[in-house]
Amino acid sequence: MTTTTNPQTTADMLRGAVRGTVVTRGDPSYDESRRVYNALHDRHPAVVVHAVDAADVIAAVLHAREHDLPLAVRGGSHSVAGFGTVDDGLVVDLSRMRGVRVDPETRTARAEGGATWGDFDHATHAFGLATTGGVISTTGIGGLTLGGGMGHLARRYGLSCDNLIAADVVTAEGALVSCDAEQNPDLFWALRGGGGNFGVAVSLAYRLHPVADVFGGLSCYPLDGDVARAWRELIADSPEELNSILVLALGPEEPFLPERWHGRPICAAFTCFSGPEAEDERVLARLDGLGPVIGRFMERMPYPVINTLFDEQLPPGLLHYWKGNFSRELSDGAIAAHMEYGATMPSLESDTAIFPIDGACHRVGPEETAFAYRDAAFSHSFGGTWTDPADSAHNIAWTRAYDRALRPHTQEGGYVNFMDTDDQDRVRVNYRQNYDRLRTVKRRYDPDNVFRLNQNITP
């Protein structure tokens, strides 16, 4: 193996091998090309390949291997751990591969690996169809799906990975491998929850469902354990068409929330009801029962809109440090920990989100996909989000203390997409009974661990 890593030599070789753009240090677009969603990760790759097709991805992967360059894969760029970039390595950026083709007759869609959920929702909504996706429209479909994929339709239709029906993957050897339930089923199994360990997903095909408009938005309450306990009962006693995420945050500076609550700790039910409009008032009545409503924005809206409601509050360029845990129940002990740290949120951008993952998510067995925690009923996501790098130490320390307080009340593992760079010691417990099988698949498709910038499963 050669070890030629001169940036100019690397760039010249790649420019002759790809149709997309190759960017290196000194190029006018370098700083923009190296930037990722989470500004905590200010890294300087040797080269960024903006791929336009699978052939470009193949060339980039082979070049990284030949020249012994660490390889990062970037789709929507939302990896909180910053896995979409790497110092002195090669980044293959899929953001120009965003096409989505919908087949309304079979209720399926195939999307390129760089598509965002905004792209996907826009394409499928034209046919009154949707599938479970992220709650921020700029999130990439690839990273979210490969990690599992929680969203507003999960209780009714399962995780994003449960709706994945096929994928095309560029492997570490530079091969383009198609997989589904019949063709290369071991790879297909591993992709559904196993993260980016096995290759670059250059296209993904999904099952779609008839969802056009939903009744959704935020209902806000004072920060109070009684609200959380009432929300817990709401989830236990609601049809699967009703999804609600419990959010703890500082009151946003929005017109629907009285000014006296701006910047004060609150609870919010981020609700998406995909059932019939005739039931909307009943949903409102149930939300009224959670506690004193201090502000609300709820209306009928096209499904794609609900996935944009937090886009402005969480733009690229903020700094993030997160943790995540699963739990079989939302215990009083867990609620107490959430209330304690919810009262000390370090910034207006920070939040806690507790996702229900019951309903259809539980109708898939724990070994049917790589997503192992089918007995979990909730996923806890929490962490600091801030704007000034000088505040990093405080936000990270706060998040770690929050994690220590919550751990006794949650399961051993958590959702890989909520894990940070210092959570590699949790990879085995995150995959639980599926870890050894995932290692077997890893050895087959990536024995040299080329794809190691992730929550890494070692061969």
Side-chain angles (χ1 to χ4, degrees):
M1 177 181 290
T2 62
T3 56
T4 302
T5 57
N6 179 277
Q8 190 58 51
T9 301
T10 297
D12 290 343
M13 289 179 171
L14 280 173
R15 288 187 179 107
V18 305
R19 296 183 66 194
T21 306
V22 176
V23 178
T24 60
R25 293 184 180 96
D27 288 343
S29 61
Y30 178 72
D31 280 338
E32 179 63 28
S33 291
R34 72 180 182 86
R35 193 170 294 130
V36 292
Y37 181 81
N38 184 357
L40 187 65
H41 305 291
D42 185 24
R43 297 178 185 149
H44 294 77
V47 59
V48 179
V49 178
H50 294 279
V52 298
D53 56 22
D56 282 2
V57 176
I58 291 169
V61 170
L62 290 176
H63 194 90
R65 290 205 65 171
E66 181 182 355
H67 297 280
D68 201 23
L69 294 170
L71 177 64
V73 181
R74 180 189 304 161
S77 181
H78 272 239
S79 167
V80 70
F83 291 137
T85 186
V86 60
D87 282 324
D88 302 318
L90 187 150
V91 175
V92 55
D93 186 302
L94 308 180
S95 61
R96 296 183 185 176
M97 298 172 59
R98 295 171 65 168
V100 182
R101 180 171 56 83
V102 180
D103 185 338
E105 292 189 5
T106 61
R107 290 184 178 175
T108 60
R110 182 173 284 272
E112 291 183 294
T116 67
W117 285 106
D119 300 326
F120 191 91
D121 291 342
H122 170 76
T124 61
H125 182 69
F127 303 95
L129 299 170
T131 201
T132 306
V135 299
I136 304 292
S137 74
T138 54
T139 303
I141 65 167
L144 188 97
T145 301
L146 299 183
M150 291 179 286
H152 293 299
L153 301 178
R155 297 188 72 223
R156 186 175 185 184
Y157 294 123
L159 304 171
S160 301
C161 72
D162 299 336
N163 290 283
L164 186 70
I165 57 175
D168 293 331
V169 178
V170 174
T171 68
E173 293 183 350
L176 181 63
V177 177
S178 297
C179 63
D180 55 29
E182 303 296 329
Q183 186 179 18
N184 298 304
D186 59 339
L187 179 59
F188 182 58
W189 174 85
L191 292 180
R192 289 174 292 162
N197 276 283
F198 311 99
V200 185
V202 292
S203 77
L204 303 100
Y206 296 87
R207 180 183 305 108
L208 303 176
H209 309 277
V211 177
D213 295 343
V214 297
F215 182 53
L218 284 174
S219 297
C220 300
Y221 315 85
L223 182 72
D224 191 313
D226 286 342
V227 174
R229 282 181 280 273
W231 177 85
R232 177 179 65 190
E233 297 307 312
L234 172 77
I235 295 300
D237 191 36
S238 290
E240 293 173 3
E241 293 85 353
L242 178 62
N243 195 86
S244 184
I245 301 165
L246 183 65
V247 177
L248 312 182
L250 300 180
E253 297 177 357
E254 295 289 346
F256 64 82
L257 189 67
E259 188 174 350
R260 67 181 182 276
W261 284 100
H262 292 178
R264 292 176 60 185
I266 65 168
C267 292
F270 185 20
T271 302
C272 175
F273 176 62
S274 57
E277 186 173 359
E279 298 292 321
D280 290 357
E281 290 301 319
R282 185 175 298 180
V283 171
L284 274 182
R286 298 212 62 187
L287 293 170
D288 287 344
L290 300 185
V293 178
I294 57 174
R296 172 175 282 158
F297 168 75
M298 288 282 295
E299 63 181 35
R300 272 273 149 183
M301 62 184 72
Y303 173 72
V305 172
I306 199 166
N307 288 330
T308 67
L309 295 185
F310 285 107
D311 285 6
E312 290 186 6
Q313 287 78 16
L314 295 170
L318 300 176
L319 297 96
H320 306 264
Y321 181 80
W322 295 358
K323 295 294 178 188
N325 296 303
F326 290 126
S327 67
R328 292 187 183 92
E329 61 176 352
L330 183 59
S331 68
D332 288 344
I335 289 173
H338 283 307
M339 293 301 110
E340 177 184 355
Y341 284 87
T344 60
M345 284 281 170
S347 72
L348 196 63
E349 295 84 9
S350 300
D351 67 25
T352 293
I354 305 174
F355 292 77
I357 48 173
D358 59 347
C361 303
H362 286 184
R363 291 195 286 275
V364 179
E367 298 177 8
E368 289 185 51
T369 69
F371 188 92
Y373 279 82
R374 298 293 178 167
D375 60 337
F378 299 97
S379 179
H380 308 248
S381 164
F382 52 95
T385 296
W386 62 102
T387 58
D388 187 347
D391 295 331
S392 295
H394 171 67
N395 280 270
I396 291 170
W398 177 84
T399 304
R400 289 173 175 168
Y402 194 164
D403 186 41
R404 289 193 295 271
L406 192 60
R407 286 285 188 96
H409 311 289
T410 56
Q411 293 171 279
E412 196 174 9
Y415 180 42
V416 293
N417 285 349
F418 293 156
M419 297 290 161
D420 223 300
T421 50
D422 54 0
D423 284 312
Q424 292 291 329
D425 61 330
R426 298 185 69 187
V427 172
R428 179 179 283 274
V429 297
N430 291 340
Y431 288 117
R432 225 180 187 179
Q433 73 277 355
N434 292 331
Y435 181 78
D436 289 339
R437 183 178 173 187
L438 283 164
R439 286 195 73 187
T440 299
V441 179
K442 178 75 169 180
R443 290 188 192 108
R444 177 179 178 186
Y445 290 96
D446 186 17
D448 298 322
N449 207 12
V450 172
F451 298 105
R452 59 184 178 272
L453 295 179
N454 43 51
Q455 296 298 330
N456 192 232
I457 299 164
T458 56

